[in-house]
Amino acid sequence: MEEELKCPVCGSFFREPIILPCSHNICLACARNILVQTPEAESPQSSRASGSGVSDYDYLELDKMSLYSETDSGYGSYGGFVSAPTTPCQKSPNGVRVFPPTVPPPPLAQHHLLPHTGVLPPVPRNSCLTCPQCHRSLTLDDRGLRGFPKNRVLEGVVDRYQQSKAAALKCQLCEKSPREATVMCEQCDVFYCDPCRLRCHPPRGPLAKHRLVPPAQGRISRRTSPRKISTCTEHELENLSMYCVQCKTPVCYQCLEDGKHSTHEVKALGAMWKLHKGQLSQALNVLSDRATEAKEFLVQLRNMVQHIQENGVEFEACLVAQCDALIEALNRRKAQLLSRVTKEHEHKLLVVRDQISHCTVKLRQTTGLMEYCLEVIKENDPSGFLQISDALIRRVHMTENQWGKGSLTPRMSSDFDLTLDSGPLLQTIQQLDFVQMKVPAAPILQMEECCTQTNSATLSWKQPPLSTIAVDGYILELDDGNGGQFREVYVGTEMICTVDGLRFNSTYKSRVKAFNSSGVGQYSKTLVMQTSEIAWFTFDSVSAHPDIILSNDNLTVTCNSYDDRVIMGNTGFSRGVHYWEMTIDRYDNHPDPAFGIARADVMKDVMLGKDDKAWAMYVDNNRSWFMHNNSHTNRYEYICLCKFLGKRPNKAPYYKCSLLLLVTEWMLYIS
């Protein structure tokens, strides 16, 4: 996590870090070094002070008055004001752009603490600070750099990290060359080596009650001191006791009484401390899972390098053996083929190694952020923690999103999908090339695009992501809906297909496979689909005759023509037992309405049942008939119950129909 603990300006570990409104950190001395003094007449501070209700952290508005251009030129100017000749931007050891001050730097002594005071010299009026990481321009108020809160949590983490990297602890009582300490007395707060402990700290008398601990544990206990009470940056004599939810910052009692937080929602500091620690811990758990996946992915990539090398060597050896067996003319072609294989080999290695490098960098950054966050969680300073917790949570979420979908997928396959065909004749040697001798891989069904609607099913599939084998077409198979044998329902090049005419309330199994000139590949996974239980339908307005008027959401049909007109339903069926009913609301001039079943290509301008594509029953005011192919059968008077055997269009077994006519309500059962 060392990168997390270094200042973006000086490149060294943070010293007295302060938190900028953009959530980035910078050393206090570095912040003073990159201050820019702006002209009073055009000071962003004066323009900001003239507005009402503008938050100190509203740096989105300050972007409109940015002091420096964020282009790659590295030169800056203040809007509407030509400053002294600017100098190109510099880069810190971390590679972050740093804008130097446009005025000559003060003498070296001014960069240090004022003598006998222990404080920094005052900041010039109308000073602005540009964040070296996000390049946002920040205008300082009368408090200067003291207006930015100190990041005590980061300072503590840096201190612990530096001490953990330091050399072994030495004895504090050795006079000449100190020996390595072996124990520490918690009461005396002194590190002893074994000889000095026996001489100066014997285990008897009052010293026998002292507690001796290992040096590492003693160093930790020495660092662990009572928590400092944080004071407010605006009211230095007040302690931070609450947390402003709207401004997301700790506040004091006086801020709530007469400050800008008086109308804001506030909560207890300790409660928000625990809440944000829990949120950061949860985010770290997710990021930890991503880091684990990334480690496994790196292992996979490194294995791929070995497989690519092995496969490349094996393929080259096979290619050389085949080419050496050919005549001298084939040797010239052999060099060309070896060149292609080598290029493919190098390309695969280049892509995989590049991905390894990229993932290694991202994983190192992720691990560094995780270690830094874990150290931050160990802090027992609620206000200091809450000052940076939101920024850390956002960074953890952003880092977790960078390991999102696709980032842990190899960009290259380790297989060489090339096979040399040694059968061509000598006269075709100049056209010798690699040919594909592998069958396609099993397609992948895209579950999110597969669906059923009434008695039709739509299926969609795709090839595996890393597959480079050519595909000539696909074969889609469905069973009969009763667990029977699969049958082909589609053969073609498209990767989406809709199958109509299935049984209602049935469960179908489907699968697909690909084929090319080398043969047929494996089946995909079997997909189980359920058709609709009930065939809800309305009248079809698309195929209806222009004389027909539809209303009531296509559930009511009216015809003002004296000629016969036919209208169909918008849902078809091919088998099964079906039931529907209809009501005649108006019956004028004694027409002969007909009802029944028909094929989609039935004649629309003659009475239903006149041709061989429809089976109908028509009625008048006191009788009814069945009719098919202009043949009348089974005439009944008034209320009737009848049966009719009609031949289906595909010469399959007859429909067995029963009709019950009661006044104006009709019910037709077809099997």
Side-chain angles (χ1 to χ4, degrees):
M1 66 175 174
E2 194 166 300
E3 296 179 6
E4 299 283 340
L5 308 180
K6 290 185 177 180
C7 175
V9 177
C10 62
S12 303
F13 287 106
F14 281 105
R15 295 183 298 275
E16 297 184 274
I18 58 175
I19 306 174
L20 302 180
C22 54
S23 299
H24 293 129
N25 299 283
I26 187 173
C27 295
L28 182 61
C30 295
R32 187 170 185 82
N33 289 339
I34 63 175
L35 280 178
V36 176
Q37 187 173 4
T38 60
E40 286 193 34
E42 304 183 27
S43 170
Q45 180 183 1
S46 60
S47 63
R48 228 177 80 189
S50 62
S52 60
V54 180
S55 171
D56 290 344
Y57 297 95
D58 193 5
Y59 47 77
L60 296 179
E61 291 297 326
L62 291 175
D63 278 352
K64 301 176 181 178
M65 303 179 291
S66 180
L67 299 179
Y68 292 100
S69 169
E70 291 193 11
T71 60
D72 292 331
S73 63
Y75 290 83
S77 62
Y78 183 76
F81 172 77
V82 180
S83 63
T86 56
T87 55
C89 69
Q90 302 169 345
K91 282 193 174 182
S92 73
N94 286 356
V96 179
R97 294 193 302 167
V98 179
F99 294 97
T102 57
V103 296
L108 182 61
Q110 295 185 16
H111 288 279
H112 299 284
L113 299 177
L114 290 177
H116 310 298
T117 62
V119 297
L120 285 169
V123 175
R125 294 185 59 189
N126 303 323
S127 296
C128 290
L129 178 66
T130 299
C131 176
Q133 290 187 283
C134 64
H135 310 299
R136 297 188 184 277
S137 298
L138 311 169
T139 303
L140 275 65
D141 55 16
D142 295 336
R143 296 174 297 170
L145 295 176
R146 291 184 295 105
F148 298 123
K150 293 183 179 180
N151 194 338
R152 297 186 304 276
V153 173
L154 177 58
E155 193 172 7
V157 174
V158 171
D159 180 59
R160 288 201 303 270
Y161 180 79
Q162 288 180 317
Q163 292 188 22
S164 66
K165 297 295 184 180
L169 293 172
K170 301 296 183 178
C171 176
Q172 295 177 272
L173 299 181
C174 292
E175 296 181 355
K176 294 184 178 180
S177 56
R179 289 184 289 267
E180 184 176 345
T182 56
V183 294
M184 175 198 171
C185 176
E186 289 186 337
Q187 285 70 27
C188 301
D189 195 19
V190 176
F191 290 94
Y192 299 95
C193 63
D194 287 336
C196 292
R197 177 178 59 83
L198 295 176
R199 184 177 68 255
C200 303
H201 199 287
R204 60 181 179 272
L207 298 179
K209 297 181 179 180
H210 287 196
R211 185 169 181 261
L212 303 179
V213 296
Q217 182 179 347
R219 179 165 53 186
I220 295 175
S221 61
R222 172 181 283 185
R223 290 200 311 265
T224 305
S225 58
R227 189 168 62 202
K228 297 180 181 179
I229 301 177
S230 305
T231 58
C232 180
T233 56
E234 295 186 6
H235 312 96
E236 297 181 355
L237 299 179
E238 297 291 338
N239 297 331
L240 297 173
S241 57
M242 301 297 290
Y243 180 80
C244 179
V245 178
Q246 181 173 341
C247 299
K248 297 182 178 180
T249 182
V251 295
C252 68
Y253 177 78
Q254 193 171 348
C255 290
L256 302 180
E257 289 293 328
D258 53 5
K260 63 181 180 181
H261 306 281
S262 57
T263 60
H264 295 176
E265 179 187 359
V266 295
K267 292 187 177 181
L269 195 65
M272 294 303 296
W273 177 35
K274 294 181 180 179
L275 176 62
H276 282 226
K277 274 198 172 185
Q279 292 177 353
L280 182 57
S281 299
Q282 292 177 358
L284 280 177
N285 289 335
V286 179
L287 185 59
S288 175
D289 295 338
R290 291 294 185 183
T292 303
E293 295 177 5
K295 292 179 182 178
E296 297 174 353
F297 180 63
L298 282 175
V299 173
Q300 179 184 356
L301 290 179
R302 293 189 179 98
N303 293 335
M304 286 185 62
V305 172
Q306 181 180 357
H307 293 328
I308 290 175
Q309 292 175 340
E310 293 175 354
N311 294 341
V313 172
E314 180 182 356
F315 187 80
E316 289 179 3
C318 179
L319 179 61
V320 171
Q322 290 179 338
C323 291
D324 288 343
L326 300 177
I327 61 177
E328 183 179 358
L330 190 60
N331 289 328
R332 294 189 297 268
R333 187 63 176 171
K334 177 183 66 176
Q336 300 176 6
L337 297 175
L338 279 174
S339 177
R340 283 191 57 187
V341 173
T342 303
K343 289 180 180 179
E344 180 72 9
H345 180 198
E346 293 174 351
H347 173 66
K348 288 179 178 289
L349 291 177
L350 180 63
V351 172
V352 175
R353 284 170 176 164
D354 179 70
Q355 192 172 10
I356 290 176
S357 176
H358 179 69
C359 289
T360 302
V361 172
K362 287 176 62 177
L363 181 59
R364 185 178 68 251
Q365 295 173 351
T366 301
T367 306
L369 178 59
M370 290 172 56
E371 293 180 3
Y372 170 55
C373 292
L374 290 175
E375 290 297 327
V376 169
I377 291 177
K378 295 177 182 178
E379 283 296 313
N380 55 2
D381 182 0
S383 61
F385 179 84
L386 292 174
Q387 287 175 334
I388 63 173
S389 58
D390 286 296
L392 287 179
I393 292 172
R394 287 195 302 271
R395 288 188 58 194
V396 169
H397 285 305
M398 290 174 59
T399 306
E400 191 273 333
N401 292 333
Q402 291 177 358
W403 293 106
K405 183 177 181 182
S407 61
L408 301 182
T409 302
R411 300 175 185 169
M412 182 64 63
S413 171
S414 60
D415 295 331
F416 284 77
D417 299 324
L418 302 170
T419 303
L420 182 65
D421 183 8
S422 60
L425 300 174
L426 286 177
Q427 59 267 29
T428 61
I429 288 180
Q430 295 303 322
Q431 290 78 35
L432 183 64
D433 203 347
F434 294 106
V435 296
Q436 205 165 36
M437 298 295 292
K438 292 184 178 180
V439 297
I444 299 176
L445 288 170
Q446 302 190 87
M447 302 299 181
E448 64 277 5
E449 298 183 12
C450 298
C451 61
T452 59
Q453 185 176 9
T454 62
N455 64 333
S456 63
T458 299
L459 295 102
S460 177
W461 59 87
K462 63 180 180 180
Q463 279 294 103
L466 298 180
S467 177
T468 58
I469 304 175
V471 175
D472 294 339
Y474 301 93
I475 301 174
L476 176 63
E477 297 181 356
L478 265 73
D479 67 355
D480 59 358
N482 290 323
Q485 297 293 326
F486 282 90
R487 68 185 191 283
E488 294 183 4
V489 295
Y490 170 77
V491 178
T493 59
E494 299 294 333
M495 289 189 288
I496 186 170
C497 178
T498 299
V499 183
D500 298 318
L502 303 177
R503 290 184 178 180
F504 288 97
N505 195 23
S506 299
T507 300
Y508 286 88
K509 296 180 180 179
S510 58
R511 62 187 184 185
V512 64
K513 58 183 177 181
F515 63 88
N516 58 14
S517 58
S518 299
V520 180
Q522 297 292 324
Y523 284 105
S524 67
K525 293 183 179 179
T526 301
L527 176 63
V528 179
M529 300 176 297
Q530 176 72 36
T531 56
S532 299
E533 183 178 358
I534 299 176
W536 299 104
F537 70 95
T538 62
F539 291 113
D540 185 15
S541 59
V542 177
S543 62
H545 195 278
D547 293 341
I548 295 178
I549 303 173
L550 290 96
S551 60
N552 190 24
D553 295 332
N554 293 345
L555 293 175
T556 302
V557 61
T558 305
C559 183
N560 294 326
S561 173
Y562 289 100
D563 298 325
D564 291 315
R565 297 289 183 255
V566 174
I567 185 169
M568 309 286 289
N570 63 353
T571 300
F573 55 86
S574 59
R575 67 192 73 180
V577 179
H578 303 273
Y579 158 84
W580 67 94
E581 62 182 70
M582 59 197 94
T583 302
I584 301 177
D585 295 327
R586 199 183 75 202
Y587 185 75
D588 298 335
N589 300 323
H590 303 288
D592 295 337
F595 315 91
I597 58 174
R599 293 171 51 135
D601 54 350
V602 66
M603 297 175 63
K604 304 291 195 306
D605 54 358
V606 298
M607 187 176 182
L608 190 67
K610 287 285 187 179
D611 59 5
D612 60 350
K613 297 180 176 58
W615 292 258
M617 179 200 72
Y618 71 97
V619 298
D620 59 15
N621 58 341
N622 58 7
R623 61 181 67 86
S624 64
W625 294 267
F626 282 108
M627 183 168 62
H628 169 64
N629 200 14
N630 204 24
S631 174
H632 298 71
T633 58
N634 298 35
R635 172 179 171 178
Y636 289 89
E637 302 287 341
Y638 301 108
I639 299 177
C640 63
L641 178 67
C642 56
K643 294 184 179 180
F644 166 71
L645 295 179
K647 200 170 186 180
R648 290 171 54 175
N650 56 2
K651 298 182 181 180
Y654 295 160
Y655 283 102
K656 182 178 182 182
C657 307
S658 300
L659 174 68
L660 178 61
L661 172 61
L662 294 173
V663 192
T664 59
E665 184 175 291
W666 303 78
M667 289 173 286
L668 182 62
Y669 300 84
I670 304 171
S671 60

